Amino acid sequence: MKNWLVWFIVAWLGASAFSQTGWRYENYNVTTYKNFRSNPLLQQSIDFERIDYPLLHAAIFFVTNETRVQNKRKPLTFAIELERAAYHHSKYMAEQNFFSHDNPYSNRRTTPAQRAKLAGIKNPAIAENIATHFGIKYKPATPVYRRDPKKGTFSYVPDGPLIPPHTYLSFAEAIVAQWMNSPPHRANLLAEDALQLGCGVYFYRDTNFYNMPTFKATQNFQLYRKIVPGQVTDRWP
């Protein structure tokens, strides 16, 4: 009877979480790599004017865990401190126009370990993945026709249908596939010593490519020992 009651409560909480209009952090308590694809929120197209960043971060987190399990690795636990560090690094890369694990514009946040401490981690042991990825389902190196340069819309044929934006799930799948196709990033993503994970992205329009909707993305993995919480400087997310 008790086991049945526990199952019912978990199932009800999961259904309730999936009915929300946006991702909530308590959803991590009832969502796993096994059931995340049932969440209809992930099937939404990304509205670049109103991005649900926590939902997009969660999508990447769960696709990563799904990929780890498919490769005979243990799933990782979510750590909001790692998400904070990842989000802020993506934000700085987008706003300051660089792409590197080292931030050349801030002595306080140069390295992944420094950024982890700002996010509230006393004992950082960080492996980091970074990427740049399109927000629309554009096939790289494919000729396109510009439609609205301000909005960054494109089509593959003149006056043809616009290339659609990614859904939250398809974006997560695409960026995890990008990391898996790069040996150093794949090694981090499948690291056996990894224990915790947080993912963060930041949106911008690439002015060097006709305002193409684009994201900088970061994954931070805590290795060896679980996080010891410390003082938080970088608050959101």
Side-chain angles (χ1 to χ4, degrees):
M1 178 65 179
K2 289 183 178 179
N3 289 339
W4 179 88
L5 181 60
V6 169
W7 177 89
F8 175 80
I9 291 172
V10 170
W12 181 84
L13 286 172
S16 175
F18 289 173
S19 69
Q20 302 292 346
T21 57
W23 181 263
R24 298 180 181 179
Y25 283 99
E26 56 263 35
N27 292 357
Y28 281 104
N29 297 326
V30 295
T31 309
T32 72
Y33 69 92
K34 295 179 180 179
N35 68 359
F36 78 100
R37 289 181 177 272
S38 300
N39 191 331
L41 295 176
L42 296 174
Q43 304 301 331
Q44 298 176 101
S45 294
I46 300 172
D47 179 349
F48 302 127
E49 302 303 320
R50 294 184 300 174
I51 299 168
D52 185 342
Y53 278 105
L55 178 62
L56 193 50
H57 300 167
I60 300 169
F61 173 86
F62 288 113
V63 171
T64 298
N65 266 347
E66 181 182 61
T67 302
R68 284 179 60 87
V69 172
Q70 289 170 351
N71 286 272
K72 304 187 185 306
R73 300 291 190 271
K74 292 181 180 179
L76 306 176
T77 56
F78 169 73
I80 195 167
E81 297 91 345
L82 294 170
E83 182 181 5
R84 286 191 198 113
Y87 168 80
H88 282 283
H89 189 51
S90 295
K91 184 174 186 289
Y92 271 82
M93 286 195 294
E95 292 182 341
Q96 298 177 334
N97 193 29
F98 72 94
F99 183 73
S100 173
H101 293 288
D102 292 334
N103 184 335
Y105 299 101
S106 173
N107 292 332
R108 297 175 63 242
R109 57 179 72 247
T110 304
T111 67
Q114 286 178 309
R115 297 190 289 272
K117 287 185 176 180
L118 291 173
I121 300 174
K122 276 188 177 181
N123 61 327
I126 306 296
E128 185 176 80
N129 284 343
I130 57 175
T132 301
H133 202 82
F134 301 119
I136 63 175
K137 296 180 179 180
Y138 167 67
K139 299 174 184 177
T142 304
V144 293
Y145 293 85
R146 286 180 288 160
R147 300 294 294 278
D148 186 335
K150 291 183 179 180
K151 294 183 179 180
T153 54
F154 304 83
S155 61
Y156 289 120
V157 296
D159 299 320
L162 298 181
I163 302 171
H166 272 291
T167 66
Y168 285 83
L169 180 58
S170 70
F171 180 86
E173 291 172 332
I175 202 161
V176 169
Q178 180 176 327
W179 280 320
M180 286 292 287
N181 288 328
S182 165
H185 296 97
R186 179 188 177 96
N188 284 340
L189 199 146
L190 299 181
E192 294 191 22
D193 293 325
L195 301 175
Q196 294 163 286
L197 170 64
C199 308
V201 304
Y202 198 78
F203 176 76
Y204 67 104
R205 294 189 180 276
D206 188 350
T207 56
N208 294 318
F209 191 17
Y210 311 113
N211 285 326
M212 169 70 80
T214 310
F215 287 90
K216 296 293 186 188
T218 305
Q219 282 187 311
N220 285 142
F221 302 85
Q222 173 75 357
L223 308 177
Y224 312 124
R225 294 180 58 198
K226 288 188 176 180
I227 290 168
V228 176
Q231 183 177 354
V232 179
T233 300
D234 290 341
R235 290 283 171 181
W236 196 94

